[in-house]
C-alpha cells in the first residue's frame, strides 16, 4: 500500500472502532490523530477541550502563530512546512545555553525557564507541553501574573509526579486548552495535536 493509503485505512479503522461516538466539529480530527499516533483509544475520553479551543487555535495558526514546545522531540514532530505555509514557526528553548545556565543558577528546571523565555515572544502563541509538568505549572503561573496570554495551551505531559495536578490547573480556566487528563501523554501526542489543527486549516480553509 502507498503511504497515503495506509494512513487513510488507519483512520477508517479508527472511525469504525469508535462506533457511534461523535465529537464536536474540529475535535474529531484531533482525537482521531492522537489515537492514530498512539493506538490508544483512551484518548477519546481523556482529551478535554475548552469551549471553542479548536476554533481559537485555528484562528491563531492562520495568523502566523508561534508554536512553543517543551522538548525537541515534540519540535521535530510538528509539521513545520505546514506551519510555515501559514506564516508561523515552531521553537523550543530546552537546549538553549542561556536557559540551562539560568536554570542551574536558580535551582529550577530548564522546562520552567524555557516557558519564561517563550512568554517574551511576540504574536499569538500556542504552547505544546508533552513532557514536563514543571513547564505546565510555570506557564500557569505566568498566565496568572499577566506575563503571557496564550492562544492555546496543549497540556499533555506524561508521567507520575505532578503530572495530573499540572494538567488540572487549566481545566475550567479562561485560557483555551486541550488537555489529556490523567497520566498519559507525551511529546508525540503534543505534536499530533498541533498537526491535527494545522491539517484542518490546510484541508478545510484552503491554506
Amino acid at each position: 500500500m502507498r503511504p497515503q493509503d495506509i494512513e487513510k485505512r488507519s483512520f477508517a479503522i479508527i472511525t469504525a472502532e469508535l462506533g457511534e461516538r461523535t465529537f464536536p466539529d474540529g475535535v474529531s480530527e484531533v482525537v482521531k490523530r492522537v489515537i492514530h499516533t498512539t493506538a490508544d483509544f483512551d484518548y477519546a475520553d481523556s482529551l478535554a477541550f475548552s469551549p471553542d479551543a479548536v476554533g481559537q487555535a485555528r484562528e491563531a495558526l492562520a495568523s502566523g502563530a508561534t508554536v512553543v514546545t517543551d522538548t525537541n522531540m515534540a519540535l521535530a514532530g510538528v509539521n513545520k512546512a505546514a506551519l510555515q505555509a501559514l506564516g508561523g514557526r515552531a521553537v523550543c528553548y530546552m537546549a538553549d545555553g542561556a536557559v540551562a545556565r539560568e536554570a542551574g543558577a536558580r535551582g529550577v528546571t530548564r522546562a520552567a525557564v524555557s516557558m519564561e523565555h517563550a512568554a517574551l515572544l511576540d504574536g499569538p502563541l500556542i504552547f505544546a507541553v508533552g513532557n514536563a509538568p514543571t513547564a505546565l505549572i510555570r506557564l500557569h503561573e505566568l498566565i496568572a501574573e499577566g506575563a503571557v496570554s496564550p492562544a492555546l495551551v496543549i497540556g499533555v505531559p506524561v508521567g507520575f509526579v505532578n503530572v495530573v495536578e499540572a494538567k488540572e490547573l487549566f481545566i475550567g480556566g479562561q485560557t483555551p486548552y486541550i488537555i489529556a487528563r490523567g497520566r498519559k501523554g507525551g511529546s508525540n501526542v503534543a505534536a499530533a495535536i498541533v498537526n491535527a489543527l494545522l491539517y484542518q486549516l490546510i484541508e478545510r480553509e484552503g491554506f
Side-chain angles (χ1 to χ4, degrees):
M1 295 178 71
R2 297 178 301 171
Q4 58 267 40
D5 292 333
I6 294 172
E7 180 171 294
K8 184 177 180 180
R9 177 59 181 150
S10 295
F11 275 90
I13 292 170
I14 291 167
T15 300
E17 293 200 20
L18 284 170
E20 297 182 359
R21 290 286 304 272
T22 59
F23 304 91
D25 179 56
V27 171
S28 177
E29 290 89 335
V30 174
V31 171
K32 289 179 181 179
R33 185 155 294 277
V34 171
I35 293 173
H36 178 259
T37 298
T38 62
D40 188 343
F41 280 82
D42 285 352
Y43 285 105
D45 297 306
S46 64
L47 284 176
F49 297 75
S50 62
D52 198 33
V54 171
Q56 290 168 310
R58 291 197 302 228
E59 182 178 341
L61 288 167
S63 299
T66 296
V67 175
V68 179
T69 70
D70 68 323
T71 65
N72 282 311
M73 183 181 294
L75 180 67
V78 171
N79 188 326
K80 285 174 281 296
L83 189 58
Q84 290 167 4
L86 299 169
R89 60 174 181 148
V91 299
C92 178
Y93 293 115
M94 283 293 287
D96 186 273
V99 168
R101 289 189 295 273
E102 184 177 345
R106 291 167 52 190
V108 298
T109 67
R110 285 183 297 159
V113 177
S114 72
M115 295 295 104
E116 295 172 0
H117 282 237
L120 301 175
L121 296 172
D122 294 326
L125 300 175
I126 291 176
F127 288 83
V129 177
N131 184 72
T134 55
L136 210 52
I137 292 167
R138 185 61 184 130
L139 180 57
H140 187 266
E141 292 171 346
L142 290 166
I143 294 169
E145 295 164 6
V148 66
S149 182
L152 177 70
V153 172
I154 298 169
V156 294
V158 59
F160 300 93
V161 180
N162 289 330
V163 168
V164 174
E165 295 84 351
K167 293 173 178 178
E168 291 295 326
L169 289 172
F170 288 87
I171 301 295
Q174 297 301 309
T175 301
Y177 61 79
I178 300 175
I179 300 290
R181 287 183 131 147
R183 295 172 171 175
K184 293 181 180 180
S187 296
N188 59 333
V189 175
I193 292 172
V194 173
N195 289 339
L197 297 168
L198 284 169
Y199 299 155
Q200 287 184 46
L201 274 175
I202 292 170
E203 294 169 7
R204 292 183 174 200
E205 309 297 336
F207 283 93

